[in-house]
Amino acid sequence: MHTIKLWIDRFLATICITLCGLLTFVVTWQVINRYIFSGAGAMTEELAKIMFVWLVLLGSALLFGEKGHMNIGIFVEAFSSQRLKGLFQLSTDVLILLFVVAILLIGGLDAVDRTMRQTNAAIPFLKTGQIYLALPLSGAFSAFYCLYNIWNDIRALLQPAKAEPAKGEAQ
C-alpha cells in the first residue's frame, strides 16, 4: 500500500507542478495581451480560474496525503497513553473519511452529473461538468489517503505497546 501511495504522491505532485507552470504562463499571457496588445482575454481569464481551482483541490489532496493539513493537536495531546492517542487519531481519520466521501466524492459526482450538459460561456468547448470533475477526483485521492492513514493507525494500535517512562524519569 505504501508503494501505491508513493505513486499517487508523484502523480499528484506532477499534476500540481504542471498546473502551476501553466497557470503562470496563462496569467502572464493575459497580462501581456491586456497591456501591450490592448486585448481582453475572457478565455484566458476563465482558464486561469479553472486551473487555479484544480490546483487547489488536487494540491489539498496531496497535502492531506503528506499529513500537512491543518489539525488541532491539543486534543490528541490531552490523552496520556499512546493507545488512547491512537484511538482518537483513528476515530478522527474515520470521521474525515466520511466527510470526504459524502461531500467531495458523492457530492462532487452529483455536481458533475447535473452540470455535464452545460457549456462554459467563455470556453464553449468545455462543459461545466468537466470543470467540476476536480471535486470527485480530489475526493477520491483524499479518501485513498484517509484509508491509508486508517490502515497505519490500526497497524500502530495492534503493535505491542512500548513501555512509557514514568514522570520524572530520564528518557
Side-chain angles (χ1 to χ4, degrees), residues 47-123:
L47 189 59
K49 288 178 193 176
I50 293 166
M51 286 193 301
F52 182 72
V53 168
W54 274 73
L55 178 62
V56 167
L57 287 170
L58 295 179
S60 66
L62 178 61
L63 187 67
F64 187 74
E66 295 175 352
K67 287 198 168 194
H69 59 286
M70 182 176 61
N71 69 20
I72 302 172
I74 192 167
F75 296 119
V76 175
E77 297 303 320
F79 298 110
S80 58
S81 76
Q82 287 298 109
R83 184 156 180 80
L84 285 176
K85 287 179 184 181
L87 286 171
F88 187 77
Q89 184 63 46
L90 179 64
S91 62
T92 303
D93 287 340
V94 169
L95 288 174
I96 292 171
L97 177 65
L98 293 174
F99 173 81
V100 164
V101 168
I103 302 299
L104 287 176
L105 194 58
I106 295 172
L109 286 171
D110 184 50
V112 168
D113 184 50
R114 289 175 187 254
T115 58
M116 196 51 89
R117 291 168 294 286
Q118 297 175 3
T119 56
N120 189 300
I123 309 172

Side-chain angles (χ1 to χ4, degrees), residues 26-40:
V26 167
V27 170
T28 302
W29 173 252
Q30 184 178 6
V31 169
I32 290 170
N33 194 28
R34 180 170 292 157
Y35 290 108
I36 294 178
F37 302 119
S38 299

